[in-house]
Amino acid sequence: MSENLSYIIGIMGFSWVLILFATAFTPYFIQKNICFGISIPVSEYNDPKIKLLRRNYCISCLVIGLVLGIGSTICYIWMPEERAVWLQLSGIFLYLAASTFIYFFARSEIKAIKQERDWEIDTETVTNTSEKSDKTIGTAWYLFYLVPIAIAVIAAVFKYPSLPGQIPMHYNLAGEVDRYAAKSIGTFAVMPLIQSFTGLLFAGINFGIGTSRNQRNHRRTQAFQSIMSIFLYAVGFMVMLLFTCIQLTMLSIINEKLMMVLLFAFFAVIFLSCIYLGVKVGQGGSRLDIRDDATGNKVDDDRYWMGGFLYCNKEDPSLFVEKRFGIGYTLNFGNPKSLIAIAALVVFILATTVLPFLLE
C-alpha cells in the first residue's frame, strides 16, 4: 500500500470515528432532564425503558456507521480517488440520514411514555439575560487572532518577489497539488481576508454564548459557558494558525507533507477535546460536580423545540440556547437577531468560497 493511500485511508477512517463519536454517544452526554429532545423528570433518567432506548440508539448508530465507514473507506484501494471521495461523502450522508431516523423513532417513544405516565416536569429556567455573563472570554482577547494574520501577511510580502509565476492553490487528500493559479497580490490576500472573517465569526459566537439563558442551575450554566468560551477561543486560534500554515505552504515555506501532518494533528486535537467535553463536562455542564443553586421558574418548554433541534421562542430574548441533543449551543430562531446571525454565516461561507476565485 502506497504512502499516499495509507494517509488517505487514515484521514477518512479518523473522520468516521469523529462522526460516530459525535452522534452515537450523544444520549449519554446530554442533561439528565432531557432525552432525545423531550423533557423528562431527572428521577426517570434510569428508567429501564429509557435506558433501553438510549442503548439501542447507540448500538444501532455504531453498527450502521461501522459498516458504511469501513466499506466506503476501503474503496480507496480499488477506486480512483475522485470516485472514492464521492462514495465516502455518500456513505456519510446515508449514515446521518439513518441516525436521524433512529433519533426520531426514539423521540416518538419517549414522547409516548411521557404522555402515558403524565410526568410532572420541573425543567427550571432562568430567563434573565439583560447582562452578558462575566464567565466568558472578553472580546478584547480576540485581538490576539491578529498575530497569525500578521504572520501570513508579512510572509507573503517578503516571499512574493522570489515566487514562480504559478503557485499551488489546492491540494487533494494525498497532499498533492491539483490546482495552480497565476501569482498575484490578490492570491495572497485571500487567506488573511478569510482569517479576518473567521475571527469575527468566532468573536460573535462567543458574545452570543455570554448572553445565552441559564437552564436549571445558574452555577452549572455559567461554568459551562466558561468552558465552551475557552474551547471556542482555542479552536478559533488553531483555525487561524492552520490558515496561516496554508498560506506558508502556498509560499513554499512549509512543504505539503508537513501541512498534511499539521492538518491531521488539528483534527486529532479537536477530537480529543470533544471527548473531554462529552465525558468530563457533558451538555450544559451536566457531568460537572457542581451543587444545585437557587431554584428557577419551573416550565416545560417542549413546545418551543421543533424536533428537539430547532428552538423558536419569541418571548425568550436569548440569541443562543443550549442544545437539547448534542453539545454546545443553537440559535433561538424566534429572536429576530437570529436572521442577522444566519446572514453573517451565509456571508462567511460565500466569502470563503468565492474570494479565492475572485482574487486569483
Side-chain angles (χ1 to χ4, degrees), residues 225-241:
Q225 286 175 338
S226 177
I227 293 171
M228 288 303 297
S229 179
I230 294 171
F231 173 74
L232 181 74
Y233 182 84
V235 169
F237 196 80
M238 286 191 296
V239 169
M240 303 297 279
L241 290 175

Side-chain angles (χ1 to χ4, degrees), residues 246-265:
I246 293 174
Q247 178 89 319
L248 297 180
T249 304
M250 293 168 56
L251 293 167
S252 300
I253 297 175
I254 294 179
N255 64 55
E256 293 84 357
K257 295 300 181 182
L258 177 58
M259 184 64 233
M260 293 297 104
V261 172
L262 293 175
L263 183 62
F264 188 85

Side-chain angles (χ1 to χ4, degrees), residues 74-147:
I74 62 176
C75 285
Y76 281 97
I77 300 175
W78 302 291
M79 286 187 178
E81 180 184 324
E82 293 77 10
R83 292 180 59 187
V85 168
W86 283 108
L87 182 64
Q88 186 77 228
L89 293 175
S90 299
I92 292 175
F93 177 80
L94 286 175
Y95 169 73
L96 293 177
S99 62
T100 301
F101 175 81
I102 299 170
Y103 163 83
F104 277 107
F105 173 79
R107 175 182 166 83
S108 66
E109 292 292 306
I110 292 293
K111 194 172 184 178
I113 294 174
K114 179 178 179 178
Q115 292 175 347
E116 177 187 343
R117 301 183 184 181
D118 194 23
W119 283 331
E120 181 180 348
I121 308 301
D122 61 344
T123 305
E124 300 165 358
T125 303
V126 180
T127 57
N128 181 14
T129 57
S130 58
E131 296 183 0
K132 183 179 183 298
S133 171
D134 59 355
K135 299 298 182 181
T136 55
I137 291 178
T139 305
W141 281 95
Y142 281 85
L143 292 175
F144 283 101
Y145 280 21
L146 294 175
V147 175

Side-chain angles (χ1 to χ4, degrees), residues 116-320:
E116 177 187 343
R117 301 183 184 181
D118 194 23
W119 283 331
E120 181 180 348
I121 308 301
D122 61 344
T123 305
E124 300 165 358
T125 303
V126 180
T127 57
N128 181 14
T129 57
S130 58
E131 296 183 0
K132 183 179 183 298
S133 171
D134 59 355
K135 299 298 182 181
T136 55
I137 291 178
T139 305
W141 281 95
Y142 281 85
L143 292 175
F144 283 101
Y145 280 21
L146 294 175
V147 175
I149 298 176
I151 294 174
V153 172
I154 293 172
V157 169
F158 282 95
K159 188 73 174 179
Y160 185 84
S162 62
L163 292 174
Q166 295 288 318
I167 60 171
M169 287 295 293
H170 191 270
Y171 299 85
N172 59 25
L173 289 175
E176 301 167 339
V177 181
D178 57 10
R179 183 164 67 88
Y180 288 87
K183 182 179 76 172
S184 68
I185 295 176
T187 302
F188 293 104
V190 170
M191 201 55 65
L193 286 174
I194 291 177
Q195 287 175 298
S196 300
F197 281 119
T198 303
L200 291 173
L201 180 66
F202 274 93
I205 295 174
N206 179 71
F207 181 84
I209 289 176
T211 59
S212 62
R213 66 181 170 91
N214 299 320
Q215 295 179 303
R216 291 189 60 81
N217 186 332
H218 182 69
R219 293 195 189 102
R220 195 182 300 276
T221 296
Q222 287 206 327
F224 184 66
Q225 286 175 338
S226 177
I227 293 171
M228 288 303 297
S229 179
I230 294 171
F231 173 74
L232 181 74
Y233 182 84
V235 169
F237 196 80
M238 286 191 296
V239 169
M240 303 297 279
L241 290 175
L242 187 64
F243 284 153
T244 297
C245 290
I246 293 174
Q247 178 89 319
L248 297 180
T249 304
M250 293 168 56
L251 293 167
S252 300
I253 297 175
I254 294 179
N255 64 55
E256 293 84 357
K257 295 300 181 182
L258 177 58
M259 184 64 233
M260 293 297 104
V261 172
L262 293 175
L263 183 62
F264 188 85
F266 170 78
F267 284 113
V269 171
I270 296 297
F271 177 64
L272 293 175
S273 299
C274 289
I275 291 179
Y276 174 81
L277 287 175
V279 176
K280 294 295 185 179
V281 179
Q283 172 60 353
S286 59
R287 290 175 172 264
L288 296 175
D289 186 18
I290 297 177
R291 185 172 56 86
D292 288 348
D293 51 16
T295 302
N297 299 321
K298 295 184 178 180
V299 295
D300 185 347
D301 56 358
D302 284 355
R303 62 188 182 279
Y304 297 122
W305 287 90
M306 292 179 282
F309 289 113
L310 302 179
Y311 180 74
C312 185
N313 183 0
K314 295 181 179 180
E315 298 178 358
D316 188 345
S318 303
L319 177 59
F320 286 93

